[in-house]
Amino acid sequence: SPLNYIEVGVLIGLAFVRALVSILENDLLISRLEKTLSHMQDQAEALERTNADLLHEITVRKKAENQLTYDSTHDALTDLPNRVLFDEELKRAINISKFSRHKTYSLFLLDIDQFKIINDSMGHQAGDELLEIIASRLRACTKENDVLARVGGDEFAILHESVVKKDNLPSLVRRIQDEIKKEIVLRKHSLI
């Protein structure tokens, strides 16, 4: 039997109400999804900021660790390797020489005669300046693969690497002597 106009009107009305309810449900769902998405974006930004902060802290900590490691193996006054690092390099050189006949090493030990008199008569600032000058002059005499270190108060050591047994040791010794013999003028001296 064919539907009458009232039944068709009711069906259209029900379809309209159902469409309206679906639209309202979709709007509500979209609103909730937008809020959830916004919340997730806020959390992602917060995590990104936290990660950036952590990365910065890790970088700062790593830099501090590297500085501590460097400080533990270098002399604060001259910035040369200290006895600890020099001893490690000397052990390494000894091990290399055991297995390589082509590499030889020479060890130079230097100290400043009567350094205590300079410290006592002119002050520790003058003594420190003298040590800095000597370190700079010795640095100018050594090659990149040499190890120059301050191993004690007024003591320096040079581990010179040679690839040939009769290296230029006499010329190195002359360079060191010539540099050390040059006049030294101290600016930071003070009388006690």
Side-chain angles (χ1 to χ4, degrees), residues 58-192:
I58 290 168
T59 303
V60 168
R61 174 176 259 178
K62 193 69 171 166
K63 187 176 180 182
E65 288 173 0
N66 290 342
Q67 188 64 48
L68 284 172
T69 300
Y70 183 86
D71 290 347
S72 71
T73 58
H74 286 77
D75 176 57
L77 180 65
T78 62
D79 199 37
L80 292 175
N82 62 18
R83 181 181 294 275
V84 172
L85 183 56
F86 187 79
D87 287 348
E88 288 175 14
E89 290 295 323
L90 185 58
K91 287 174 189 172
R92 182 187 64 78
I94 290 168
N95 286 331
I96 289 172
S97 339
K98 288 178 184 176
F99 302 106
S100 174
R101 294 177 187 230
H102 301 289
K103 282 193 178 184
T104 60
Y105 294 88
S106 301
L107 177 63
F108 297 85
L109 299 173
L110 309 134
D111 71 344
I112 302 171
D113 290 339
Q114 301 173 354
F115 181 73
K116 185 177 179 342
I117 294 172
I118 295 168
N119 262 347
D120 291 347
S121 64
M122 298 176 72
H124 289 283
Q125 278 187 320
D128 287 350
E129 185 179 359
L130 176 63
L131 291 169
E132 289 171 327
I133 291 169
I134 296 295
S136 175
R137 290 182 180 185
L138 291 173
R139 195 178 278 123
C141 296
T142 56
K143 293 189 277 184
E144 188 177 324
N145 57 344
D146 293 337
V147 179
L148 167 63
R150 180 175 174 210
V151 294
D154 66 338
E155 298 168 340
F156 295 88
I158 300 171
L159 180 62
H160 175 71
E161 179 181 331
S162 306
V163 289
V164 185
K165 287 202 181 243
K166 301 249 182 192
D167 192 30
N168 59 354
L169 287 181
S171 67
L172 175 60
V173 171
R174 273 193 302 281
R175 276 197 323 264
I176 292 171
Q177 288 173 335
D178 290 345
E179 281 295 320
I180 299 299
K181 280 194 251 181
K182 289 180 183 175
E183 181 181 16
I184 296 176
V185 178
L186 300 177
R187 293 180 308 267
K188 298 179 186 175
H189 72 282
S190 62
L191 296 175
I192 296 176

Side-chain angles (χ1 to χ4, degrees), residues 47-63:
L47 282 173
E48 193 173 312
R49 283 190 301 273
T50 301
N51 285 341
D53 291 345
L54 285 172
L55 183 60
H56 176 72
E57 285 180 33
I58 290 168
T59 303
V60 168
R61 174 176 259 178
K62 193 69 171 166
K63 187 176 180 182

